[in-house]
Amino acid sequence: MGNFGDFQFGVYLSSFTGEAPPDLPFSYAGLAERAQQALTPALWDYVAGGAGDEGTQDANVAAFSRYGLTPRMLSGAAQRDLSVTLWGIELPSPLLMAPVGIIGVCTPDGHGDQAAARAAAQTGVPFIGSTLMQDPMEDVIAHSGDTPAFFQLYTPNNRDLAESFVHRAEAAGYRAIVVTLDTWALGYRPRDLAYGTFPQLGGACLANYASDPVFQALLPQGADDTAIAATWAGLFGNPALTWDDLTWLRGLTDLPLVLKGICAAEDVRRARDYGVDGIYCSNHGGRQAGSAPALDFLPAVIEAAGDLPVLFDSGIRSGVDVVKALALGAAAVGIGRPYALSASLGGTEAIVHTLRCLLAEADLTMGLNGYADLATLRTHGAIRVAG
């Protein structure tokens, strides 16, 4: 069985035989540069920007420089096993595509959710589909092949609609429900305000709403796109959610229930009491509110989670970042901006390329530092180097 790092050897070998390397970036910096050219200025700022002065977004990235890996030699790490099991689901790697509510319009053809699902099918990296899809959830998962897909829920303030979304996701074959807690209102984003950018108000990425019978019943007769967007705006997000609502959410489905946006150890302990199946440590990539870097929350969250798996995202820009988060104890690591930006460069093909680059760098980072598997990495791998 090969290693993910063999992707790199394949590029070198193809070049040796006269085939040019893929005309796609191999680093995040290159990816961002190319994507900025491909996207409109308003959409570029929407994807690349963050909340407020973007200090939290920048701190998320910088936090990884405060951690390093301890090299361990003569450890027999020529072959690596990066596989993980989440809720009984066996996955070839710990990488996930985090939910991105605008991915649908990032691809040239305007069907980015389907492109990401096809990339999942080709790489084995699960796609967490957002409630805010450009195509209905049933049409999206049809493209994911044998790779599991998860559904992210923005809990609307209409319980019947929330239940409909969950039951549709379950019937369509999604394998877990990921409830985002930190986006019941839009964060303060100066870049978007400068353009007046709010894609959903223009009707983008509302396919799950427009295709839902509960939502349809709320529309005025003969509703057009403007009426759909206006009705959505009155339903999106639920600021009234409290801990007591977890009993209702937990009772909607037998699928694993994961809470996204949990950063405090006290919240982890409370969540466990309500029977959730996983914790997703994230500050929404610094897009929603100013906070400390997400990575700084991770060790305490993992300690409080006990035997619950802890997923992580926010600030991941490289395979080395992935490995550091895993070394700190994350069960799986989500990427957001890297695959959203790559989507603009050619849809599925570009997303697959970016995922393979991240997996190759993560795999080679583990192997060259002497870690053959994730259990050994988590036991001996991470070291605080600054701060």
Side-chain angles (χ1 to χ4, degrees), residues 87-227:
W87 313 297
I89 305 168
E90 296 183 359
L91 301 172
S93 84
L95 201 64
L96 307 170
M97 279 182 274
V100 175
I102 199 66
I103 192 68
V105 296
C106 285
T107 54
D109 67 357
H111 295 281
D113 303 286
Q114 293 185 4
R118 288 192 294 271
Q122 293 184 35
T123 61
V125 175
F127 170 60
I128 306 177
S130 172
T131 300
L132 298 171
M133 289 181 177
Q134 187 73 345
D135 295 286
M137 64 177 85
E138 294 86 355
D139 295 346
V140 170
I141 196 172
H143 293 268
S144 65
D146 294 330
T147 300
F150 308 136
F151 181 75
Q152 174 268 337
L153 177 69
Y154 284 126
T155 309
N157 59 27
N158 181 307
R159 282 199 170 194
D160 291 338
L161 181 58
E163 292 180 16
S164 183
F165 282 158
V166 170
H167 293 155
R168 284 175 62 191
E170 190 171 34
Y174 290 87
R175 304 287 296 276
I177 304 296
V178 178
V179 182
T180 294
L181 302 175
D182 60 10
T183 310
W184 49 265
L186 194 66
Y188 186 78
R189 301 176 188 169
R191 289 207 218 187
D192 297 340
L193 289 168
Y195 289 100
T197 304
F198 198 158
Q200 288 76 24
L201 286 183
C205 303
L206 298 182
N208 283 327
Y209 293 84
S211 61
D212 193 281
V214 174
F215 183 84
Q216 292 168 356
L218 301 173
L219 294 172
Q221 188 172 5
D224 57 11
D225 289 346
T226 300

Side-chain angles (χ1 to χ4, degrees), residues 169-347:
E170 190 171 34
Y174 290 87
R175 304 287 296 276
I177 304 296
V178 178
V179 182
T180 294
L181 302 175
D182 60 10
T183 310
W184 49 265
L186 194 66
Y188 186 78
R189 301 176 188 169
R191 289 207 218 187
D192 297 340
L193 289 168
Y195 289 100
T197 304
F198 198 158
Q200 288 76 24
L201 286 183
C205 303
L206 298 182
N208 283 327
Y209 293 84
S211 61
D212 193 281
V214 174
F215 183 84
Q216 292 168 356
L218 301 173
L219 294 172
Q221 188 172 5
D224 57 11
D225 289 346
T226 300
I228 289 172
T231 303
W232 166 80
L235 295 169
F236 179 77
N238 194 341
L241 275 180
T242 68
W243 286 103
D244 291 339
D245 290 303
L246 282 185
T247 301
W248 160 65
L249 285 167
R250 174 67 283 176
L252 293 180
T253 180
D254 291 330
L255 291 176
L257 186 70
V258 184
L259 300 185
K260 184 176 186 289
I262 296 285
C263 293
E266 299 92 323
D267 289 347
V268 176
R269 288 187 282 268
R270 291 194 71 177
R272 292 183 63 187
D273 292 340
Y274 283 90
V276 304
D277 301 285
I279 300 295
Y280 197 143
C281 180
S282 166
N283 63 12
H284 217 94
R287 291 177 58 78
Q288 277 299 92
S291 78
L295 192 67
D296 287 354
F297 297 123
L298 183 58
V301 165
I302 289 171
E303 183 178 1
D307 58 356
L308 288 183
V310 174
L311 283 56
F312 175 83
D313 73 24
S314 297
I316 300 290
R317 297 292 183 268
S318 68
V320 176
D321 294 342
V322 171
V323 175
K324 289 179 180 180
L326 294 168
L328 288 170
V333 177
I335 62 160
R337 285 184 180 87
Y339 90 89
L341 296 179
S342 66
S344 71
L345 304 183

Side-chain angles (χ1 to χ4, degrees), residues 366-377:
M366 284 186 56
L368 290 169
N369 278 294
Y371 297 99
D373 55 58
L374 298 179
T376 308
L377 175 72

Side-chain angles (χ1 to χ4, degrees), residues 64-76:
F64 285 91
S65 67
R66 298 201 294 269
Y67 293 88
L69 300 168
T70 304
R72 303 295 298 271
M73 298 297 103
L74 301 173
S75 58

